[in-house]
Each structure stands twice: as C-alpha cells, then as structure tokens.
Amino acid sequence: MRIGVVTFPGSLDDGDAARAARIAGAEAVRLWHGDSDLHNVDAVVLPGGFSYGDYLRCGAIARFAPVMESIIDAARGGLPVLGICNGFQVLCEAHLLPGALTRNQHLHFRNRDQWLRVESADTVWSNGFTAGQEILIPVKNGEGCFVADQRTLDELEAEGRIVARYIKGNPNGSQRDIAAITNEAGNVVGIMPHPEHAVEALTGPSLDGLGFFTSVLRALAGATAGGK
C-alpha cells in the first residue's frame, strides 16, 4: 500500500510521517504542494509544521495549494486522509472537517507527552484501537484549541465523530477536550497530537501512534479483499 505524505513550504514533520508509514509497512510516497498529481497513492497524510509560515491563519494558504485540490476531490470520493496538527488545521480550512483550531487558551506553546482516550474505533485511521483505550503520544502546538458552534459539537458527539479526547489534562483548552475528529464517512481524520512521534521505543513515549498508520493499512487491505 502507498501512503502519500505532503510537503508544504514550512512543513516540519513530513519526514517523520513518512518514516511512520514505512514502519507500519507501507510505501511512503512524497507529494509536493505544487504538484496536483497524487501518484496513485492509497491514502494521504497532511503532516505537522508551519505551512507557508502560518501566514493569515494556520493552514489558510496551504488549503489552496495545487495538491490540495486533488486531495479534496479524492477525499470526497473516499480516499483516506489523516491531518496531523497543521494538517488538521488544513483540513478544517478546506472544509473537509468542521470547526477550527485557534490559539491555545493559555496563549503558550505546549510541547509534552499527552494522554488521550480513543472515543471511536470506527474510522479507517483508528480501527486498530478499541473505544475507551488510553494512549500516550506527544502534543506540540500553539494553535491547537479546537472550537466549533454548539450545534456542530453536539452533532460530533451524537454521530460518534469524536475520535479522541484529551485526558489527564487539556493542553490547549479545546472544547469538550477534543483531540481528534472525523468526517461523516470516517475516511478523513484530523488529530492535533502527533502519532508519528510515537512509533519507536527509542524516540517516543510509547508505540501508541503506530496504530493510526497500521489501521489505515488494515482498512485498505480489507477494501482490496472485499473488491476481489
């Protein structure tokens, strides 16, 4: 399976995301922001970083990159897409996910290992977990506070579209402790913490982040088998 990892000007964690995809067993394919060709990838990761220097708003310029035009169309057609940190911001700016990521309520950058509780194992990126499972992965953001109107928040709750919540402390003030959400189809997920930094014992606080990458491979393998 081929997982594409996009590089924007200012991307920081694209190399880490590609490495995580390889550790999970996928072929990592580097995608360039200025190239609309997705090179026949089976899934896409929008990595963390500071795309286009975070000018205007985080993700606001990246959303209009040529590669995003193809990703938006493909995601609406079912392509699995994972947005991590800045990638989550891009997905919201592209209206593939609702809400927005705003300045941390305490106005400080937060960089720490963070506990999460998986709320939904029904997405292509979280099917390897169990609902209620607690995982530990790093968080590092200055504008990671998820906000939405009350109707949207209620819909996310009612439809089971909150993928993960912060536990043992909310690092940024996100409403309802939301750390990750999904679209209605379950193929697009945005997560503010960094699963790609928790895939190896040498460098991560756990191996819990690897589950997001192995989950999509399992979903893709199941879809391929079902199509035969």
Side-chain angles (χ1 to χ4, degrees):
M1 299 296 179
R2 293 160 56 85
I3 296 182
V5 180
V6 178
T7 297
F8 298 104
S11 289
L12 175 66
D13 299 311
D14 46 336
D16 298 80
R19 180 172 176 78
R22 289 193 295 270
I23 292 172
E27 176 187 354
V29 179
R30 305 306 289 266
L31 302 177
W32 185 241
H33 69 103
D35 184 0
S36 61
D37 188 350
L38 298 184
H39 301 281
N40 298 313
V41 297
D42 300 296
V44 167
V45 176
L46 301 179
F50 307 91
S51 59
Y52 296 91
D54 282 349
Y55 288 108
L56 297 183
R57 291 185 310 276
C58 299
I61 298 177
R63 175 259 179 274
F64 292 102
V67 73
M68 282 304 299
E69 296 179 13
S70 300
I71 290 172
I72 290 168
D73 288 342
R76 288 173 176 161
L79 180 76
V81 179
L82 176 67
I84 303 171
C85 196
N86 186 222
F88 190 179
Q89 295 162 341
V90 174
L91 290 176
C92 290
E93 290 286 343
H95 304 296
L96 288 174
L97 292 175
L101 285 308
T102 63
R103 187 71 178 164
N104 292 350
Q105 281 192 347
H106 43 65
L107 305 182
H108 296 285
F109 190 92
R110 279 290 180 266
N111 183 5
R112 72 188 193 196
D113 297 332
Q114 176 67 48
W115 284 99
L116 309 177
R117 183 176 63 244
V118 176
E119 299 287 356
S120 172
D122 296 329
T123 79
V124 298
W125 294 97
S126 63
N127 64 77
F129 299 103
T130 57
Q133 182 176 348
E134 296 183 2
I135 61 177
L136 180 65
I137 62 177
V139 64
K140 51 176 188 177
N141 61 72
E143 293 175 302
C145 179
F146 181 80
V147 298
D149 61 86
Q150 291 303 307
R151 178 179 177 181
T152 298
L153 292 170
D154 290 342
E155 288 178 350
L156 291 172
E157 296 269 15
E159 296 171 7
R161 291 169 53 196
I162 297 174
V163 177
R165 295 185 204 266
Y166 300 112
I167 58 173
K168 304 179 184 180
N170 184 327
N172 46 43
S174 287
Q175 292 179 316
R176 305 194 188 183
D177 298 324
I178 290 174
I181 62 171
T182 186
N183 65 342
E184 292 181 6
N187 64 302
V188 177
V189 168
I191 181 168
M192 184 49 56
H194 287 261
E196 79 281 16
H197 294 329
V199 297
E200 293 181 291
L202 178 64
T203 57
S206 72
L207 302 181
D208 293 340
L210 192 60
F212 290 93
F213 297 90
T214 55
S215 286
V216 72
L217 295 181
R218 186 165 81 170
L220 290 168
T224 300
K228 290 182 179 180

